[in-house]
Amino acid sequence: MVQKKGRIFSGMRPTGRLHLGNYLGALKSWVELQDDYECIYCVVDVHALTTLESVQDAKAIVPNTNEMVLDWLAAGIDPNKSIIFVQSHVPEVMTLHTLLSMVTPLGWLMRVPTFKEKLRQMKANDETVNYGLVGYPVLQTADIILYRGDTVPVGEDQVPHVELSREIVRRFNKIFGNTFPEPKVKLTESPSIRGLDGKTKMSKTLNNHVELALSDDETRKRIMSAVTDPQRTHRNIPGRPDICNVYSLHKIFNERKVNEIEQGCTSATLGCVDCKMDLAVNVNKHLAPFRERRTALANQPDLVQAILTDGAKRARKIAKSVIAEVRGKMGL
Ligand code: TYM
């Protein structure tokens, strides 16, 4: 057997169909890593509950999981190479979460930038924010180390979480003896994709995203709504590609023509409308094989369920032995 470089663990919240940010920041590298690493990919459904606003959100978890796993498979995640499963199907993660919470200072959690940002977005305060949201990175740490993951491919927004995981692991190992590897982040070439507003990161919550599974026409409409250089109020005013998000997407999807686009923009010979139209054509071209595979996979109704059932069985075997070791070390 070929010696693998290590064990990958990564996860995504079941938000339904994925967008270009999820793909370029994480999923693309998940696919590429499958040959060199043992890979475990998880649908983190319990994390989705940390921002639950209504029972409708809870009811959406299962259909959203199905949509998301179809995207994973269509992108090239192979259940014969990787373990694909749903977080709550391996309940040992809840046990490890509770045990890790005993060695995690509250101050570490309160300082996490994503936590502060969520509080701002939700207009929450000490009285309304739930305990589960504060513990989000502890559960994320439990995810990774329950499977002894040592490498975590994620987008840039997740770096502070993994840094915290390293600190929790260091503390656990110091108190109870060397048990877990310190997980390291693995970033892609484009770890932070901006949304169509050109300002903030691409995200479904902000509705500034482009879903991978849209039709060509829907993709074109979304891209045509993208904000370009705000100073370029007329076609004859030269643009600044270095600050334009449409240009940064051309660098990814239209590599061959990127110098031409830059020249056209800075000399005002290429207008933003034509520039976006060209981007849409290239995004559609890039995603065509993915979309074809996704349609074929969606026509197999029990496929995702069967893959997730098998994945949970394989994941649970690892989880049980790790939990037995942790219980012993913690005197339980
Ligand atoms: P989530 O579900 O928000 O995002 C899934 C993955 O997509 C990446 N991503 C982006 N990358 C670049 N540009 C963007 N605009 C963009 N938007 C999303 C994210 O960085 C992520 O890699 N906390 C995690 C889920 C999680 C996890 C874990 C990850 C739970 N347990 C254990 C790794 C290991 C999250 O909410 O990702």
Side-chain angles (χ1 to χ4, degrees):
M1 215 177 89
V2 189
Q3 182 71 29
K4 298 280 182 180
K5 288 186 187 161
R7 182 171 287 169
I8 296 278
F9 183 96
S10 197
M12 291 193 191
R13 284 170 301 131
T15 49
R17 295 176 170 200
L18 296 176
H19 55 69
L20 291 178
N22 301 127
Y23 176 65
L24 298 165
L27 184 57
K28 191 165 176 277
S29 83
W30 288 16
V31 174
E32 291 160 2
L33 293 164
Q34 290 180 113
D35 288 326
D36 293 337
Y37 290 80
E38 284 180 301
C39 295
I40 306 181
Y41 298 126
C42 180
V43 180
V44 293
D45 56 349
V46 182
H47 277 107
L49 295 175
T50 58
T51 50
L52 182 77
E53 281 176 11
S54 69
V55 69
Q56 300 315 326
D57 291 349
K59 284 190 178 146
I61 291 176
V62 169
N64 280 347
T65 297
N66 199 61
E67 290 293 321
M68 185 166 84
V69 174
L70 282 175
D71 279 345
W72 290 7
L73 299 174
I77 302 295
D78 179 351
N80 294 315
K81 291 182 186 163
S82 304
I83 296 180
I84 308 172
F85 77 107
V86 176
Q87 182 183 36
S88 70
H89 295 180
V90 182
E92 283 75 10
V93 76
M94 325 279 187
T95 308
L96 188 56
H97 173 223
T98 304
L99 296 176
L100 292 180
S101 74
M102 310 305 168
V103 299
T104 309
L106 188 57
W108 289 3
L109 300 172
M110 305 292 278
R111 282 195 290 273
V112 173
T114 42
F115 174 65
K116 291 199 213 154
E117 175 59 20
K118 269 270 151 44
L119 284 190
R120 207 184 51 75
Q121 269 178 16
M122 295 164 64
K123 299 193 177 59
N125 57 45
D126 288 358
E127 294 304 314
T128 57
V129 66
N130 68 51
Y131 171 61
L133 185 65
V134 187
Y136 187 112
V138 185
L139 182 58
Q140 180 155 345
T141 305
D143 283 332
I144 301 167
I145 69 177
L146 183 58
Y147 305 97
R148 297 193 202 281
D150 51 42
T151 310
V152 186
V154 278
E156 207 165 68
D157 59 323
Q158 295 299 315
V159 171
H161 285 164
V162 183
E163 283 302 320
L164 192 57
S165 297
R166 292 169 67 82
E167 289 188 62
I168 296 173
V169 165
R170 274 202 288 273
R171 190 171 245 233
F172 185 98
N173 286 346
K174 189 156 174 250
I175 302 172
F176 300 106
N178 205 11
T179 311
F180 297 111
E182 273 181 45
K184 305 179 289 298
V185 161
K186 199 168 182 61
L187 292 178
T188 65
E189 280 163 23
S190 29
S192 181
I193 301 294
R194 272 181 287 159
L196 297 174
D197 55 10
K199 283 191 284 221
T200 41
K201 78 162 189 177
M202 185 173 283
S203 115
K204 223 169 197 178
T205 326
L206 300 169
N207 191 25
N208 63 3
H209 61 300
V210 181
E211 285 176 8
L212 304 172
L214 292 180
S215 67
D216 284 7
D217 202 38
E218 289 165 330
T219 306
R220 190 178 45 74
K221 283 197 186 119
R222 291 293 283 179
I223 291 179
M224 294 315 286
S225 75
V227 174
T228 52
D229 177 359
Q231 272 184 29
R232 200 172 181 205
T233 47
H234 289 103
R235 198 188 188 284
N236 56 3
I237 300 175
R240 296 169 297 171
D242 50 317
I243 63 132
C244 177
N245 192 34
V246 170
Y247 178 70
S248 63
L249 291 171
H250 270 292
K251 281 202 218 158
I252 300 168
F253 292 102
N254 202 6
E255 242 182 313
R256 216 169 33 85
K257 261 177 70 183
V258 63
N259 290 337
E260 201 182 305
I261 303 275
E262 184 178 1
Q263 266 196 338
C265 178
T266 52
S267 62
T269 51
L270 173 69
C272 293
V273 170
D274 290 336
C275 181
K276 289 194 268 189
M277 204 87 91
D278 193 5
L279 176 64
V281 168
N282 282 285
V283 169
N284 281 332
K285 208 188 283 173
H286 189 94
L287 292 176
F290 163 89
R291 289 172 176 166
E292 207 172 298
R293 280 194 298 273
R294 195 184 194 283
T295 307
L297 290 160
N299 281 331
Q300 303 174 55
D302 299 327
L303 178 75
V304 169
Q305 223 34 61
I307 289 171
L308 294 177
T309 304
D310 176 63
K313 215 183 287 165
R314 289 158 68 197
R316 196 156 190 202
K317 210 165 144 197
I318 307 171
K320 278 189 170 160
S321 81
V322 172
I323 281 293
E325 183 184 344
V326 171
R327 288 180 62 113
K329 287 197 168 159
M330 292 185 87
L332 302 176

